Amino acid sequence: MLQSFNRSKCFLIFLMIAIELEISIKWLQYTICKILERYALRELFKTSNSLFPNGGKMKIPTMLMICFALAAYFADSLATTIVLIRNQDAVYIGADSKIVDENGDSLGEECKVIKIGDYYFANAGLGMDLLYDFNIKEIATTVFSSNASFEQQLSDFVAAVDDECSSYLLRIKNNRKNIFERVTSGKINIETVIAGRDEIGVPFFNVIKFRAYKSGNETKISTPIRYNCPGDCADGKVVAMIGQMSNTENFVDNWARGMMRNPVKAIKFIINKEIEKNDRVGLPITILEISAKKSTWLQHDNLCPDN
């Protein structure tokens, strides 16, 4: 046990020295934490707390210590392009997969659309800062896993984001001044989408956008902008986007109706157009289809779990 602890301690010391010397270890950070994310929680529910078979010695608490030491060094994700299409058949959600830190440096790839119960959730803009305890996906998972009605869950989500984001901004005001100014000036917002099927099987998506601003010495969250389809979209059909869309917004506005006839092709075209001129957005492109009867990953390059 002592030998295992010493090895872990030496590993942590090495990593902190590397950080101090400004050696780039972001790929290592990201890779290790994704491995832990995949296996650690599953193992917590087993009788043994070892992550290795046959009496391996590194324990879950040690691995979580390593993960948090790594993850605390960066914040993500500040660049994402998500395309939403609803036609007469289904809802389609397309997203890029590139993860960047606050400086725009690449941290790797991940599936940006996660499954929460019967729903699917994605976000763009301010997403996660583990050093200062903010994670929009954790907030969504907690709220949309509850037994409340969907309308109540939406209300609870808005309230939770308001509370958690306000608290987060207080924590970073003097410590992450660059991020604080970018968030409170509207350069970085929180944009989210929750999608699924209603009680009678109709595919839908709900977009909720949050913006922070300064009011005197206080930091506040404005009334969120909400867009629902069906509901706010004409004839239940729409092409919408959240996140990075500086190079594609006008194109989508002009050609939206034609895109609904071939949503998969349209999603690929839109996101690739953004990737061409925006190095914060990157391949591979993932595409999810939510129809009246089932949800299917049409494209995910092994990044997203199959249903």
Side-chain angles (χ1 to χ4, degrees), residues 166-182:
S166 296
S167 299
Y168 166 70
L169 291 172
L170 286 176
R171 292 193 293 274
I172 70 169
K173 186 174 182 179
N174 298 316
N175 301 303
R176 278 192 185 273
K177 293 183 179 180
N178 178 46
I179 295 296
F180 178 82
E181 291 299 327
R182 291 169 69 189

Side-chain angles (χ1 to χ4, degrees), residues 236-248:
K237 301 176 183 178
V238 73
V239 178
M241 295 179 65
I242 63 173
Q244 298 290 307
M245 52 184 178
S246 56
N247 299 307
T248 52

Side-chain angles (χ1 to χ4, degrees), residues 255-292:
W255 298 95
R257 286 292 175 181
M259 292 178 178
M260 293 177 197
R261 291 193 291 270
N262 193 333
V264 173
K265 183 178 180 180
I267 287 171
K268 291 179 182 178
F269 180 83
I270 293 169
I271 296 179
N272 277 317
K273 290 291 287 184
E274 189 68 31
I275 290 172
E276 286 177 8
K277 296 184 179 180
N278 187 344
D279 60 7
R280 286 175 170 259
V281 181
L283 298 171
I285 297 170
T286 62
I287 303 175
L288 174 71
E289 178 189 56
I290 304 174
S291 67

Side-chain angles (χ1 to χ4, degrees), residues 37-73:
E37 179 184 286
R38 180 167 296 182
Y39 293 108
L41 291 180
R42 186 183 68 185
E43 295 295 326
L44 282 172
F45 291 96
K46 294 186 177 180
T47 302
S48 169
N49 68 340
S50 172
L51 280 179
F52 297 95
N54 303 320
K57 296 199 179 286
M58 183 174 279
K59 307 296 183 179
I60 285 176
T62 301
M63 297 196 76
L64 292 181
M65 281 172 56
I66 294 171
C67 184
F68 281 112
L70 294 168
Y73 185 57

